[in-house]
């Protein structure tokens, strides 16, 4: 499918999802992006996916990792090594562990919703901002989705968008490439809307 | 449309009115309607059972999200069956479905109702779920010792597998949390840490002995062994966990990253002669899992 077609499709899809949220909501792009990624991965129950988000953040999964695992996580990624060089140099495990709690689900486990929610910060490499705003931004996003859940049409609408997306043959594209193109197009859409 | 008069219906169904010819036909109609309705309920129950089995199959194939959707569908179907004709079997199925959806309190209630309708085994399951719910409440309120004791009882004496598994998971998490929170001076801390780790290890090893094919237990074992810096064993357990299956995608991914972490640690520490054999072994797994490189799982993109 040509790039133009994808752009049009995403514009329409964004229009549909946007209607469920208040103006200027930071949630609908991550939700649309995740819905399309999940559709490609044949995950039918979007509602379960979103409500399962908290599982990705279960403190025990990330909080109880050994110090060496945390150090390895930061040292294994050049951008993280650079950002947290001082803490790494001084072996400040306490603050690294705190940062790890936010960054591991985003950068390590690559949860699509969280990646989209913090896409701007990831693109800019502003990992400290992700750590600082992780709890509040995520809570806000989940609260907004929860409020929207009362509108029963949200999940079927997202499912329809996912199915239409699949019927256009996008599932054949490699996932990393697909994610990159979706991201670029959705962000472009968002910018255009803001300008308008 | 005129509403049917229920008193008339009642009169017509009275035994004294059954002797007449017309009434006989009506009785037959009611009889067949009852058979039809019973048939509907049984076929719905059968459908719910089939869907439940399908959800279990999906779960075993590690298609967790689809399994969750199937469990949700089963719960809706079985709730509809119950509203038409409550039975012990239906409540039992509802409870089993709820356990798989982590709806612990609802499951406890369903098992209680199943037991009151003749499903004897459901009573014991309800009791275990109640204890588990209590332990979780204590844990949420910060009563760690009490919740640890309750989880311990369930781990040792529990008979209902999902509750036992969840209790072992919570116990290990609580032990590891104590380890991470430790802020004593170095030497004393190390001694205490070793003690905590030995306890956690013993606990998970016992669970593995009882249920060796449970991937989640091997995952927990890999986590504990990594704290002990036994990366060789930790890697083996994480590989076993991956091969046996894990309950969710985030645990699955975390386990993959655990494998890579152990691989990198061993790369740094092994002697050259050991390293060659180790790499060959490790690469055969990497090939089997179709990972692009030794340190890039198939789902990783950055």
């Amino acid at each position: 499918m040509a790039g133009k077609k994808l752009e049009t499709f995403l514009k329409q899809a964004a229009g549909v999802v946007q209607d469920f949220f208040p103006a200027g909501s930071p949630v609908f792009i991550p939700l649309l992006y995740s819905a399309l990624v999940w559709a490609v991965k044949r995950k039918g129950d979007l509602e379960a996916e979103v409500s399962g988000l908290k599982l990705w953040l279960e403190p025990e999964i990330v909080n109880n990792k050994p110090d060496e695992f945390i150090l390895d996580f930061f040292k294994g990624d050049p951008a993280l090594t650079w950002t947290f060089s001082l803490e790494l140099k001084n072996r400040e495990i306490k603050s690294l562990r705190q940062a790890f709690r936010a960054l591991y689900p985003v950068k390590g486990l690559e949860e699509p919703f969280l990646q989209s929610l913090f896409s701007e910060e990831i693109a800019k490499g502003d990992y400290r901002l992700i750590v600082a705003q992780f709890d509040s931004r995520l809570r806000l996003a989940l609260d907004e989705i929860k409020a929207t859940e009362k509108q029963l049409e949200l999940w079927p609408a997202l499912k329809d968008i996912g199915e239409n997306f699949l019927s256009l043959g996008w599932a054949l594209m490699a996932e990393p490439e697909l994610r990159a193109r979706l991201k670029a197009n959705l962000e472009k859409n968002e910018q255009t809307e803001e300008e308008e | 449309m005129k509403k049917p008069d229920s008193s008339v219906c009642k009169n017509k169904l009275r035994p004294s009115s059954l002797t007449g010819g017309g009434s006989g036909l009506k009785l037959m109609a009611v009889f067949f309607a009852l058979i039809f309705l019973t048939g509907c309920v049984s076929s719905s129950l059968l459908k719910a059972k089939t869907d439940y089995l399908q959800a279990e199959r999906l779960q075993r194939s590690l298609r967790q999200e689809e399994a969750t959707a199937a469990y949700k569908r089963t719960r809706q179907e079985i709730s509809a069956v119950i509203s038409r004709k409550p039975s012990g079997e239906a409540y039992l199925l509802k409870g089993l479905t709820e356990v798989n959806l982590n709806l612990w309190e609802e499951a406890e209630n369903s098992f209680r109702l199943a037991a009151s309708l003749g499903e004897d085994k459901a009573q014991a399951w309800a009791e275990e779920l109640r204890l588990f719910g209590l332990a979780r409440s204590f844990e949420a309120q910060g009563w760690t010792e009490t919740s640890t004791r309750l989880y311990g009882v369930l781990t040792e004496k529990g008979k209902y597998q999902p509750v036992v598994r969840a209790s072992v998971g919570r116990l290990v998490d609580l032990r590891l949390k104590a380890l991470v929170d430790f802020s004593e001076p170095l030497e004393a801390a190390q001694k205490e840490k070793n003690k905590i780790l030995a306890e956690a290890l013993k606990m998970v090893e016992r669970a593995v002995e009882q249920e060796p094919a449970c991937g989640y237990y091997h995952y927990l074992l890999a986590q504990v062994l990594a704290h002990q810096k036994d990366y060789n064993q930790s890697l083996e357990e994480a590989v076993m966990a991956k091969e046996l299956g894990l309950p969710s995608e985030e645990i699955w991914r975390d386990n993959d990253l655990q494998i890579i972490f152990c691989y990198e640690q061993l790369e740094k520490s092994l002697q050259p002669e050991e390293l060659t054999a180790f790499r060959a072994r490790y690469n055969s797994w990497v090939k089997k899992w179709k990972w692009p490189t030794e340190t890039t799982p198939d789902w990783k993109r950055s």
Side-chain angles (χ1 to χ4, degrees):
Chain A
M1 192 169 67
K4 194 83 190 159
K5 261 188 177 175
L6 175 67
E7 211 176 299
T8 317
F9 173 82
L10 289 177
K11 207 167 186 172
Q12 284 168 352
V16 172
V17 182
Q18 200 171 9
D19 283 348
F20 289 96
F21 294 93
S25 163
V27 172
F28 81 94
I29 291 286
L31 196 61
L32 177 59
Y33 172 74
S34 329
L36 295 174
V37 172
W38 290 327
V40 170
K41 293 171 93 180
R42 301 289 193 276
K43 292 180 176 180
D45 195 345
L46 303 179
E47 196 178 348
E49 280 295 323
V50 172
S51 46
L53 256 182
K54 63 180 189 306
L55 282 177
W56 291 80
L57 315 164
E58 283 283 312
E60 53 267 26
I61 286 184
V62 289
N63 278 359
N64 298 338
K65 289 285 183 187
D67 296 350
E68 288 73 17
F69 189 95
I70 292 171
L71 290 168
D72 188 71
F73 170 74
F74 284 99
K75 285 179 185 167
D77 185 307
L80 292 180
T81 311
W82 186 80
T83 309
F84 294 91
S85 54
L86 199 65
E87 286 91 339
L88 284 167
K89 193 180 152 202
N90 299 332
R91 229 184 129 91
E92 288 171 26
I93 291 293
K94 214 170 173 178
S95 48
L96 285 173
R97 191 173 280 283
Q98 206 177 353
F100 177 80
R101 202 186 133 259
L103 295 172
Y104 187 59
V106 181
K107 287 280 285 177
L109 303 175
E110 297 194 357
E111 203 291 314
F113 182 86
L114 294 175
Q115 283 204 323
S116 183
L117 192 64
F118 295 103
S119 65
E120 214 179 304
E121 289 78 9
I122 295 172
K124 286 183 192 159
D126 198 348
Y127 296 109
R128 287 198 187 272
L129 194 62
I130 298 180
V131 175
Q133 298 188 345
F134 187 77
D135 284 334
S136 57
R137 289 257 294 273
L138 183 67
R139 198 173 44 244
L140 195 74
L142 293 179
D143 283 351
E144 245 180 59
I145 293 173
K146 208 167 178 197
T148 319
E149 278 173 354
K150 283 171 198 150
Q151 301 178 52
L152 297 173
E153 301 86 8
L154 172 69
W155 301 114
L158 279 170
K159 205 174 173 184
D160 280 352
I161 290 171
E163 278 166 12
N164 287 337
F165 184 63
L166 283 187
S167 70
L168 294 170
W170 280 88
L172 299 172
M173 190 183 271
E175 197 190 319
E177 195 191 342
L178 174 76
R179 282 189 185 219
R181 291 188 73 166
L182 278 178
K183 227 166 142 191
N185 273 284
L186 284 171
E187 278 159 14
K188 197 172 148 193
N189 269 352
E190 200 174 22
Q191 273 173 4
T192 320
E193 298 245 331
E194 275 167 18
E195 280 161 18
E196 280 167 6
Chain B
M1 213 169 95
K2 202 181 164 192
K3 222 177 157 185
D5 185 345
S6 60
S7 62
V8 174
C9 292
K10 276 179 202 158
N11 283 338
K12 282 183 181 167
L13 285 175
R14 274 211 310 246
S16 56
S17 65
L18 299 182
T19 45
S23 299
L25 277 175
K26 277 176 189 138
L27 176 69
M28 272 175 75
V30 169
F31 177 72
F32 283 118
L34 274 175
I35 288 188
F36 174 73
L37 279 176
T38 313
C40 282
V41 169
S42 341
S43 73
S44 303
L45 184 60
L46 193 66
K47 166 118 187 27
K49 276 185 198 169
T50 314
D51 281 346
Y52 180 80
L53 292 174
Q54 168 68 3
E56 278 195 322
R57 264 194 297 275
L58 288 166
Q59 199 169 26
R60 274 198 300 273
S61 319
L62 305 177
R63 289 154 71 183
Q64 190 56 42
E65 290 75 17
E66 289 169 76
T68 304
Y71 281 126
K72 278 189 170 180
R73 200 171 50 241
T74 308
R75 187 167 180 249
Q76 270 176 358
E77 286 164 359
I78 203 69
S79 300
V81 171
I82 287 170
S83 66
R84 272 178 281 160
K85 193 186 174 205
S87 68
E89 194 183 9
Y91 275 116
L92 193 67
L93 186 60
K94 186 166 179 269
L96 289 169
T97 308
E98 285 161 345
V99 164
N100 282 295
L101 290 167
N102 290 332
L103 300 169
W104 304 102
E105 276 175 43
E106 291 83 347
E108 183 200 330
N109 192 38
S110 297
F111 285 146
R112 272 194 201 292
L113 289 162
S116 69
L117 290 167
E119 290 284 348
D120 295 338
K121 62 184 167 213
Q123 184 62 40
W125 294 354
E127 291 303 328
E128 286 186 25
L129 278 167
R130 189 172 171 219
L131 272 186
F132 183 71
L134 202 59
R136 278 163 55 96
S137 306
F138 282 133
E139 190 189 338
Q141 288 162 20
W143 295 18
T144 313
E145 267 183 45
T146 317
S147 59
T148 303
R149 208 167 54 238
L150 284 178
Y151 289 133
V153 168
L154 287 165
T155 304
E156 280 171 28
K157 306 218 165 117
K159 299 267 183 283
Y160 187 42
Q161 205 186 52
V163 173
V164 174
R165 281 185 188 178
S167 301
V168 172
R170 295 304 314 126
L171 264 184
V172 171
D173 284 333
L174 284 172
R175 298 316 290 149
L176 294 184
K177 188 172 183 299
L179 200 72
V180 166
D181 291 345
F182 224 81
S183 56
E184 293 291 312
L186 201 63
E187 206 176 318
Q190 200 48 52
K191 214 173 160 188
E192 189 57 31
K193 277 183 174 184
N194 289 343
K195 199 177 144 201
I196 292 172
L197 277 175
E199 279 171 14
L201 190 67
K202 209 170 150 189
M203 197 188 308
V204 193
E205 279 177 341
R206 206 181 309 135
V208 170
E209 252 172 54
Q210 280 166 2
E211 211 188 325
C214 172
Y216 180 59
Y217 287 156
H218 290 279
Y219 162 81
L220 290 176
L221 204 48
Q223 300 296 312
V224 178
L225 288 163
H227 274 277
Q228 288 189 320
K229 296 191 173 61
D230 186 346
Y231 300 122
N232 199 13
Q233 273 296 111
S234 177
L235 177 71
E236 280 182 24
E237 292 299 332
V239 169
M240 232 184 293
K242 186 171 172 69
E243 289 295 302
L244 290 168
L246 287 158
S248 67
E249 193 170 347
E250 73 275 14
I251 292 182
W252 176 268
R253 288 188 176 195
D254 182 46
N255 189 64
D256 281 351
L257 297 181
Q258 178 73 25
I259 289 174
I260 292 162
F261 167 68
C262 291
Y263 165 76
E264 287 173 338
Q265 298 303 310
L266 289 168
E267 276 254 298
K268 285 184 222 160
S269 63
L270 285 178
Q271 298 298 315
E273 61 273 19
E274 292 170 310
L275 198 58
T276 317
F278 165 68
R279 275 189 185 143
R281 239 180 7 250
Y282 182 78
N283 277 319
S284 67
W285 286 113
V286 167
K287 203 173 157 192
K288 185 181 179 235
W289 299 327
K290 297 189 175 73
W291 285 8
T293 71
E294 291 93 333
T295 53
T296 319
D298 48 349
W299 50 266
K300 196 94 179 151
R301 68 186 188 98
S302 56

